[in-house]
Every structure is written in structure tokens, then in C-alpha cells.
Amino acid sequence: MKNTLKNPALQIGVGAILGIAFGLAVGEWAANLKFVGDLFIRLIQMAIVPLVMSSVIVATGAMTGLGMGKMAFRTFKWMIGFSVVAALLAWGISAVIRPGAGIDFSGGVDPALQESAGAATGWQDTLLNFVSTNIFAAMSTATMVPIIIFSLLFGVALNAYIAKTGNRLVLDLFDQIQQVVLTMIRFVMLIAPIGVFCLLANLAGTVGFSVVTSALKYLGSTLLGVLILFALFVLVVWMRTGLNPAKLPAKLSDQTMIAITTTSSAVTFPTVLRTATEKVGVSQRVANFTLSVGLTMGSYGAVLNYMIVVMFLAQSGAVTLDFGTIVLGMALAILLNVGTITVPGGFPVVATFLATSLGLPFEAVGLLIAVDWFTGIFRTFLNVNGDTFVAMLVANASNELDRDVYDGKKKGTTDSLDLGKHEEHGKPKEQSEAVHAAV
């Protein structure tokens, strides 16, 4: 019983339930607790940039031979493939359920949102902004896509430098930075139940559950899509790896609880990284690369939700979409998921951008924003668990999925990489008990 109470997922779950109950009981006064929840989120967010940069640099810098190219191809293949499936599934569900048809919406859109959405209408500008002219500026604003691209290029260059000189000093440095940041995040996660309590107390006290009643079909469509896509993920992983899917719920419980209570893939990232290596058996190098890239490219729940938003807005305004507009909507949904999931709260600009780009009515955006916290739960649940599934698929193809760890015969560790001894089918070095204790 005592060990059960120490379970982080259980503690966070209790904090969430108590927070909702407290918020409903005291009403708007609960908004006074919001700053505590925001502080918890900020403590996590401040560590994300160095963690992602070090993870990507170490993953790419430590690869030898054809490992990097093959891993990148496998990672992008699965992520893009599942994103396309998510967009198609969202279109099909929305066409059948028609969540926006007959919706009685009211309220306008913040002019600042419309202005910011209208300012970025060209796909060329969107792609151009993926590369920053000042990486430190991108780091200061946590603009993740330029950071990922810089880290990939830096890792590739570092890999070439190591191959030429044999000097792995810089790679060792980034490897140690990753371990220190993970330890720092472990300290922050000790206050996770308190942070979650305050976040949900504020939401329940200021918004309540009445916001859901006018958008049940929209929420139901998103939830149905998430469940179908999650089942597809499990099916593909089972068919590819042969691992027992019944063991997945227990392994994914910690990251799922954090994901649905914080609605942030970035905040959940450290737990996802630890789960993949310690509980699922994914090798450290595959986890570093695939999960770091997945933080900005593996937003399958976001793609699903954004395409449903497109259909919802069109149906709410009685707009008939032609084939070309539907395809464009799918492309935008896939493109927009890149770089918008690092923190909660990016949805209003995304929804308004979609309306602007496709010529859809703005009036219903206010309703979508009102219930976005709930759809954020669905999106983040699928995003973080989908990334884990992709990491399993990539690791399995590279023969770097430890089945003994998955089956519970031994426990994996989040350890340092064997810098310089990895091959395409290489094995991680001896486990580091000191690092494991820290993480």
C-alpha cells in the first residue's frame, strides 16, 4: 500500500481529481491558484530546449555507418505515414458525424488572433521559418522546429568531425548535459501533483463543465478518431514486433497521466523518454533521436484534431468544401502540427489560421477555443503514446528493442551511449546505475 501511494501516476491522478472537485466547490476563487500551476509548467518548459538539443545531438553524433540515415528514414516514414492516416480518418469521421452541422455558436474572435493568423498565409514563409537565422533567438523563444533542424545539422557535423579526428569530447559534453537535465526534471516532477491540482482547480472554477454541452459532437468526433488511431497504432506494433499488447497500459500509465493532465507533449517528453528505455526496451540512441523528432513532428492527435476543426468550421458556416480544398486542409493540418505542440495554448492561432487559409467562417472558432482544454487531452494522449509506438517500430527494425525489458524480465536504464561503438545493430554499453538512480 505504501509503495502504491508513491506511484507518480497515482499521485498526479489524485491531484487532478481533487483539483477539479476543489475548483467546482469554490468557483472563480480557484483562479488564484493558476499561478502555481503555471509555475510548474514553466519549470518543465525551461528544461525542454537543452534536453531536446542534447538528445538530438547525442543521437546523431554517436551514430556510425548507415545507422543515422536508416534511422531517420524509418522515423520519418512512420511519422508522416501515420499523420496522413490521421488526416484521412478525421475527414471520414467528420463527413459522417458532421460535428459542425447545426451548431449554435456565438461570440467573435480576438482581433489579435485573426491578425496573427492572417500574417502567415504563405507556405513558402512557413517552410522558410523552419530555419532560424539566429539559433539563440530560437532557443530564447523555444521555437522548436529551428532548434531541431540546427541540432540535427550540428549532430551530423559532429559525427563527421568524430569520424575524422576521433575526438569525442564535445559528444561526451552533450551526453552529460542530457543526463543532468533529466535529473533536474526529475526534481521538478516531485511537485507535479501540486501543479496539476492548481491547473485543474483553476479550469473547473473559471470555466466549469457547461462549456462541453454545446460541442459534444465535436469532442466526440475527436475522441472517436483518437481511439481508432490508437487502436491502429497498437495493431501495427503488435503485427510488426509480436510483443504482447496487453502489457502496454501499465507501461504507458505514467506518461499518459502527465499528458492528459498537462495537455503538453513537451512537459511529458522527459517521462516519455524514460518510459521508452526503462519500461519498453527501446535503445537509448533510438529513443533520443525518434522521440526528440517526434516532439515536433509526431503530433498525430494534432493532425486529427486540426482536420476535424477544418470540417467543423466549414459545416458550421454551411460551406461546401471541394476536393482541392479538402486536400489543402489535410496538408495544412499535417504542416501545422510541426512546432505547435511544445506548450499548451497554441490552438487559437492554429484554428484561426486554418479559417483564414481556407476561407472558412471565424464565428465558430470561439466555441472551439472554449472546449480546447478537453480536445487538448485527446490530442496529447495520442501524440505522446504515438511517439512511443513509433520508437518501438524503429527500434524493432534496427534490432534495438530489448524484449526482456518489455516482458519485465529486467529493467532498462536511461544511460549514456557507448560513444563510438554503435553500429546499425549495435548494443548499448553497460548500464549506468548512477544515471539510472538519477533518472
Side-chain angles (χ1 to χ4, degrees), residues 1 14 72-73 82 98 113 117 132 158 212 229 233 254 257 269-270 295 298 323 347 362 412 415 425-426:
M1 180 65 179
V14 171
F73 172 76
F82 280 120
R98 296 184 58 80
L113 293 177
S132 175
L158 180 59
V212 184
L229 201 54
F233 267 117
D254 285 358
M257 186 60 67
F269 176 73
L295 185 61
F323 177 76
F347 176 80
F362 285 93
D415 64 346
H425 299 291

Side-chain angles (χ1 to χ4, degrees), residues 52-240:
V52 169
M53 289 191 71
S54 59
S55 296
V56 174
I57 289 172
V58 170
T60 53
M63 292 181 183
T64 58
L66 299 176
M68 181 169 55
K70 287 186 177 181
M71 184 184 299
F73 172 76
R74 289 163 180 158
T75 299
F76 295 139
K77 175 187 70 174
W78 285 114
M79 288 182 179
I80 294 174
F82 280 120
S83 294
V84 172
V85 171
L88 290 170
L89 178 63
W91 170 75
I93 290 175
S94 300
V96 173
I97 298 180
R98 296 184 58 80
I103 290 292
D104 181 19
F105 53 78
S106 60
V109 176
D110 185 342
L113 293 177
Q114 187 167 348
E115 181 181 351
S116 62
T121 55
W123 64 269
Q124 297 96 332
D125 290 336
T126 301
L127 293 177
L128 190 61
N129 289 332
F130 285 177
V131 179
S132 175
T133 58
N134 186 339
I135 188 59
F136 295 102
M139 291 169 63
S140 68
T141 57
T143 308
M144 296 307 300
V145 176
I147 292 173
I148 289 286
I149 291 176
F150 173 85
S151 300
L152 284 170
L153 292 175
F154 189 96
V156 171
L158 180 59
N159 186 282
Y161 174 79
I162 293 173
K164 181 179 180 180
T165 66
N167 188 337
R168 294 188 288 272
L169 181 62
V170 176
L171 188 57
D172 287 331
L173 172 64
F174 278 103
D175 182 55
Q176 293 304 312
I177 289 175
Q178 181 194 34
Q179 302 306 320
V180 172
V181 174
L182 283 170
T183 302
M184 182 176 72
I185 292 175
R186 179 179 69 85
F187 295 153
V188 175
M189 290 306 297
L190 294 175
I191 65 168
I194 298 174
V196 168
F197 173 90
C198 295
L199 286 171
L200 297 194
N202 167 67
L203 182 77
T206 57
V207 180
F209 290 110
S210 61
V211 296
V212 184
T213 57
S214 59
L216 287 178
K217 289 174 69 177
Y218 166 68
L219 293 171
S221 299
T222 305
L223 177 59
L224 177 62
V226 165
L227 294 177
I228 293 175
L229 201 54
F230 182 83
L232 177 62
F233 267 117
V234 173
L235 178 62
V236 172
V237 169
W238 175 51
M239 293 179 64
R240 285 278 182 166

